[in-house]
């Protein structure tokens, strides 16, 4: 519910946040978040952070207030993609996230480190605790859709996010290689074990489209996304091309300027499944 304080201890509703017997972490008292969507992948290098950035930008362009919680603590890349170099600030109410050029709120460990190249050499429990603090201590003000950029795999942080945050659904990011079927199945089964709805799959690096003739080439092999989605009973939310323009936009910190409608259908499906005005 939109007026949920996420304080399960004082609530009698039998909502998804109470399932599993583990109470969710309480949202900062000065925050208001309507929908929480995890962006996950079973392995690294498939473009999960790119998809997170594009989804947040797409929703921001639609007039929603989007935000990104960068839960990939040891490999944070979100600030770089949005060209954010300033550090997060504090107030009497909590930590204030950085804000992108178009108004997307962003919280990442790189906004707290002295230098963005400083490594995070922490053990799992500390990393998991940091992710919780990004939820409890950060002031997420009037956010319609909060996207959680997860680290790859099914380890400590994804488990912490699924157990501790009121995740409304997840988007699974994959690539065309055949071995991905097994990897996707692992991510999907973990979400199912945690009673987290799966909104669908986005395939990154799906094809390269020649700028001269418009012909599409399957650089990493023919796509198996339709088969994988059918096997898992999921919806294909979109396919992203191999586009040098996207890579350049990320490297230059201007991902918000991307041109393309690849995730418009994904945004339609997410808004239909999880309307922010509920």
């Amino acid at each position: 519910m939109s007026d949920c304080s996420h304080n399960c201890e004082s609530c009698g509703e039998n909502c998804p946040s109470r399932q599993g017997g583990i109470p969710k972490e309480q949202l900062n008292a000065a925050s208001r978040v309507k929908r929480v969507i995890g962006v996950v992948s079973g392995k690294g290098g498939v473009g999960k952070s790119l998809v997170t950035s594009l989804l947040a930008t797409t929703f921001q362009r639609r007039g929603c207030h989007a935000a990104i919680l960068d839960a990939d603590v040891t490999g944070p890349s979100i600030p770089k993609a949005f060209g954010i170099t300033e550090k997060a600030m504090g107030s009497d109410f909590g930590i204030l996230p950085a804000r992108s050029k178009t108004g997307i709120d962003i919280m990442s460990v790189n906004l707290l480190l002295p230098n963005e190249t400083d490594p995070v050499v922490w053990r799992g429990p500390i990393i998991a605790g940091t992710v919780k603090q990004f939820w409890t201590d950060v002031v997420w003000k009037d956010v319609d859709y909060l996207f959680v950029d997860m680290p790859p795999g099914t380890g400590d942080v994804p488990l912490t996010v699924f157990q501790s945050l009121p995740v409304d659904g997840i988007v699974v990011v994959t690539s065309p290689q055949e071995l991905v079927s097994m990897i996707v199945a692992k991510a999907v089964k973990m979400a199912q074990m945690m009673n987290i709805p799966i909104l669908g799959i986005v395939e990154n690096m799906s094809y390269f489209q020649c700028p001269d003739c418009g012909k599409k080439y399957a650089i990493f092999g023919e796509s198996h996304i339709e088969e994988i989605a059918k096997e898992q009973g999921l919806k294909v939310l979109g396919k992203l091309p191999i586009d040098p323009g996207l890579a350049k936009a990320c490297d230059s910190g201007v991902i918000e300027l991307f041109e393309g409608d690849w995730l418009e259908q994904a945004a339609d499906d997410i808004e239909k499944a999880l309307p922010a005005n509920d």
Side-chain angles (χ1 to χ4, degrees), residues 23-221:
K24 302 296 182 182
E25 291 292 326
Q26 186 172 353
L27 184 64
N28 184 288
S31 298
R32 185 168 183 264
V33 177
K34 295 179 181 178
R35 295 296 189 185
V36 179
I37 298 172
V39 182
V40 308
S41 63
K43 65 185 294 295
V46 298
K48 172 183 45 56
S49 296
L50 173 64
V51 172
T52 302
S53 301
L54 295 182
L55 281 173
T57 301
T58 299
F59 274 89
Q60 192 75 9
R61 289 177 179 178
R62 292 183 169 212
C64 299
H65 183 193
I68 300 176
L69 189 162
D70 189 356
D72 195 351
V73 175
T74 60
S77 56
I78 294 296
K80 173 69 174 178
F82 285 87
I84 296 175
T85 56
E86 67 270 20
K87 302 305 177 183
M89 304 296 290
S91 73
D92 292 339
F93 300 101
I95 303 170
L96 302 178
R99 180 158 288 189
S100 75
K101 300 174 184 66
T102 63
I104 299 172
D105 286 339
I106 294 172
M107 188 63 219
S108 170
V109 74
N110 259 17
L111 303 180
L112 302 174
L113 298 174
N115 302 293
E116 66 175 15
T117 56
D118 290 347
V120 176
V121 189
W122 298 341
R123 295 194 181 275
I126 298 177
I127 294 174
T130 300
V131 172
K132 288 183 182 180
Q133 286 185 286
F134 284 172
W135 175 256
T136 60
D137 295 0
V138 173
V139 179
W140 301 105
K141 190 173 182 181
D142 296 324
V143 173
D144 293 309
Y145 291 93
L146 174 69
F147 294 92
V148 183
D149 184 27
M150 302 248 232
T154 56
D156 280 350
V157 172
L159 183 61
T160 295
V161 171
F162 287 163
Q163 288 184 330
S164 304
L165 274 59
V167 180
D168 294 292
I170 66 166
V171 172
V172 180
V173 182
T174 184
S175 58
Q177 293 94 330
E178 285 192 38
L179 64 86
V180 166
S181 176
M182 176 189 67
I183 302 299
V184 169
K186 289 180 180 290
V188 168
K189 288 180 179 179
M190 180 179 186
Q192 291 171 341
M193 289 171 60
M194 305 300 297
N195 295 315
I196 305 295
I198 304 167
L199 300 171
I201 307 178
V202 172
E203 184 176 68
N204 188 31
M205 301 178 285
S206 186
Y207 58 89
F208 170 76
Q209 186 166 13
C210 176
D212 297 323
C213 66
K215 184 177 179 180
K216 294 181 179 180
Y217 296 90
I219 303 296
F220 291 109

Side-chain angles (χ1 to χ4, degrees), residues 207-278:
Y207 58 89
F208 170 76
Q209 186 166 13
C210 176
D212 297 323
C213 66
K215 184 177 179 180
K216 294 181 179 180
Y217 296 90
I219 303 296
F220 291 109
E222 294 300 324
S223 172
H224 298 276
I225 190 68
E226 303 291 347
E227 302 166 26
I228 295 172
K230 185 176 181 180
E231 288 175 6
Q232 301 296 333
L234 303 177
K235 179 180 292 187
V236 177
L237 297 176
K239 297 180 180 180
L240 290 175
I242 300 171
D243 188 333
L246 280 178
K248 183 177 180 180
C250 283
D251 291 342
S252 303
V254 292
I255 191 60
E256 292 163 293
L257 301 182
F258 85 91
E259 297 180 4
D261 60 356
W262 309 293
L263 293 182
E264 290 295 332
Q265 185 59 52
D268 287 342
D269 291 339
I270 291 172
E271 282 189 321
K272 184 178 180 180
L274 300 173
N277 58 359
D278 275 6

